[in-house]
Structure formats: C-alpha cells, structure tokens
Amino acid sequence: MQQVDLRTGVGRQLSAPVGGSAVGLKVESGRHRLFVAGGSSGEIRVVDTRDGASLARYKVAGGFLNDVVVTKDAVWVTDSFLGQLYKVPLGRDGSLPAAAVTVPLGGEWVNTPNSFNANGIASTPDGRALIVGHTSSGKLFRVDPATGVAKAVDLGGESVVGNDGLLRVGRDLYVVENGSNRIAKVGLRPDGSAGVLERRLTDYRFDVATTVAAYGDRLYAVNARFSTPPTPTTTYTAVAVPRF
C-alpha cells in the first residue's frame, strides 16, 4: 500500500504486501488507523497510518472482502460473494476486539450466483444504519446493523448499475458506476430509506474508476484499469474532479 501526496502525486510505501491483497481501505479519523479489506485472503487488517505497523489482523470465513466503512462504534466490511457483512466492534475508548463478527444479510437481500453482490458501503446520514451497494442488480440497500435485515433504497425507479465504491458526504451519496465510468450523486433521506438520483458526472480520464474519496472541494476517483493487463510498469492514477 502507498501513501500519495495529492499535490504532487508522489507516493511512498506505507505497508509491505503482507496477508494478500488490499481492496477496500478506510482511515479512522483521529486514531491513525487504516482498516483494510483483504479481498480473497479473507482477512481484515488494521495498519498504523504513521509507520505502516500492523496493529491487528482478523481472519473471517470470507469469499471476497471488498469495502470498508468506519462508524462511531464499529468497522464494517462487505463480502461480494457471500451474503454477509463483517463487523469489527470498537470499544468506547476505540480499543480493537479479539475477533470480528459475521452478520448475515437478510430481508430483501438476494445474492446473485457467480456475480459481484455486496460491494460499496457507507453509513446513513442519521448514523443509525448502513447503505450497501448491490453491484449486479444496480440497487442500494439500507441495512439494519443490529439484525442484518436489508431493504432496497427507494430511488424512484432509478438504478445505479455496476455500483462500486460509495462515499457519503452529509446527505449526498456518491456512487461510482465502474462499468459506465461515471459517478452518480444520490440525495438521501436522513434514515437512508429513499433517495433521489440528482446528477451523474463522467470524465474522459476515468479508466474503470472503482472508488472515490473526498478532500476539500474535490472528489478523487481511483482508476483500477481492469481492461489493461497489469505489468511492472503499468501506471495507475486518481482523477480529481469538482465535488458536485
């Protein structure tokens, strides 16, 4: 994993590639901790953002650990192959647990065989539930964190096909539609039960953008370049666009 200066694009290695791939990443504000979804390794890792030291590793019965969100009392990780989430409960002082907890998805959630299912994840604006993207169906789901019960977010008949990374800023949910090389903006109700698809943005520099982060008044979309065979000299970029 690399730390990259947004002004110059210069990066440095933060952590050696120990424990398999690093797919979803999320920094916990104020505690210098980076939570990593380890893809097919079935491992959630916690890394110190200052020196790359390993703080914890959690092995779960995972299919493909994809994305991460940090809430006030837990860290949540999606599994794109199995119909479940993984919860890393945090103590009142932020202490890390001995093990992660598996939370099966229920209610209206249906896994599509041989396809990507749960992908991006965010919290609702009121902080009481989770929003999970279902990539193959183009739907977003509101998930009760206590029970795992999922209900489709009412988008007024719209869909976000190929949804990948999710980023919530206030009541605005940014959804990366990786197959379409665009970012959709959904205005959510506070409880996340419904939303309005307000606008989409694309950019000629997107090359299978898969996730997005915000800094200041910009969004940074990460190009996965899935259609480009990776080599030791293949370049990867993040594209800055105005936050809309």
Side-chain angles (χ1 to χ4, degrees):
M1 290 183 293
Q2 299 276 322
Q3 275 187 337
V4 179
D5 188 312
L6 292 178
R7 296 167 300 177
T8 65
V10 175
R12 72 174 184 89
Q13 182 168 295
L14 172 65
S15 176
V18 177
S21 59
V23 184
L25 308 174
K26 201 68 80 217
V27 173
E28 182 186 19
S29 178
R31 289 202 174 100
H32 306 290
R33 297 192 301 208
L34 174 68
F35 290 84
V36 182
S40 58
S41 72
E43 191 172 72
I44 302 166
R45 305 196 301 277
V46 190
V47 175
D48 192 309
T49 59
R50 294 166 294 189
D51 58 12
S54 176
L55 301 177
R57 297 171 72 171
Y58 301 101
K59 190 72 175 179
V60 297
F64 188 85
L65 278 59
N66 199 321
D67 208 356
V68 187
V69 68
V70 180
T71 66
K72 63 180 181 180
D73 59 1
V75 177
W76 294 86
V77 177
T78 58
D79 191 318
S80 293
F81 293 163
L82 304 180
Q84 56 199 32
L85 303 177
Y86 306 106
K87 176 183 179 182
V88 180
L90 301 177
R92 290 186 178 181
D93 60 351
S95 56
L96 296 170
V101 178
T102 299
V103 179
L105 289 167
E108 297 179 1
W109 187 271
V110 178
N111 256 29
T112 304
N114 304 313
S115 182
F116 261 47
N117 295 280
N119 198 329
I121 185 169
S123 59
T124 56
D126 65 9
R128 297 180 179 178
L130 303 167
I131 300 291
V132 178
H134 193 293
T135 298
S136 61
S137 71
K139 295 180 179 180
L140 302 174
F141 286 84
R142 181 188 187 275
V143 178
D144 185 330
T147 64
V149 172
K151 182 176 178 57
V153 177
D154 182 0
L155 297 179
E158 297 284 356
S159 64
V160 279
V161 177
N163 60 75
D164 201 323
L166 303 182
L167 170 70
R168 183 183 61 77
V169 181
R171 290 175 60 174
D172 295 332
L173 182 71
Y174 295 97
V175 183
V176 180
E177 297 174 287
N178 70 24
S180 305
N181 268 324
R182 62 191 184 189
I183 302 171
K185 177 184 175 182
V186 176
L188 289 173
R189 285 185 185 171
D191 67 355
S193 62
V196 176
L197 181 57
E198 297 179 351
R199 184 183 167 190
R200 284 185 165 102
L201 177 147
T202 189
D203 191 287
Y204 73 94
R205 296 169 296 172
F206 290 170
D207 190 353
V208 194
T210 54
T211 194
V212 64
Y215 185 78
D217 60 356
R218 294 186 177 188
L219 299 174
Y220 291 82
V222 179
N223 284 327
R225 305 196 71 190
F226 289 146
S227 59
T228 301
T231 72
T233 59
T234 301
T235 58
Y236 292 89
T237 57
V239 178
V241 295
R243 204 165 84 194
F244 59 99

